Amino acid sequence: MNHIVTVQDAVTAFADWIEPTAAELDAIEQEMPVILADVDLLDAQIITLDRTPSELDERRIRRARRRALAARIALTNRTAGASLPGGAA
């Protein structure tokens, strides 16, 4: 008979006392516009899963893609500008 046992690391990895660090929270905060834009894009795509996309649906998806791309570009520019010495972009 095989016994099922848990691995201690897997159990304690989700313990209440382990919380994200301030640096991790700052990174999430900086990426939040990208995350929200991706969620909007997914919402627009999910709407069209069970039907043929109308012209309005196609426009909604295009706009959501452009917003997601713009958010990614803005994040890349912010992080690239922050890592350059002297603040030059």
Side-chain angles (χ1 to χ4, degrees):
M1 173 178 218
N2 292 335
H3 295 284
I4 299 173
V5 294
T6 59
V7 178
Q8 186 64 27
D9 291 337
V11 173
T12 57
F14 301 106
D16 292 339
W17 67 86
I18 299 176
E19 295 188 14
T21 64
E24 291 170 335
L25 290 173
D26 289 340
I28 292 169
E29 187 66 31
Q30 282 190 356
E31 293 177 9
M32 191 54 68
V34 174
I35 294 168
L36 294 175
D38 285 344
V39 168
D40 288 342
L41 176 58
L42 283 172
D43 285 344
Q45 291 172 336
I46 288 170
I47 289 172
T48 63
L49 284 179
D50 61 345
R51 65 174 189 218
T52 304
S54 67
E55 184 177 336
L56 179 64
D57 293 330
E58 291 173 2
R59 279 190 270 163
R60 184 179 295 128
I61 290 171
R62 277 196 310 266
R63 275 185 265 143
R65 277 191 188 130
R66 284 195 303 264
R67 282 193 299 265
L69 181 60
R72 289 178 189 275
I73 290 170
L75 177 65
T76 302
N77 288 339
R78 272 196 315 268
T79 56
S83 64
L84 290 176

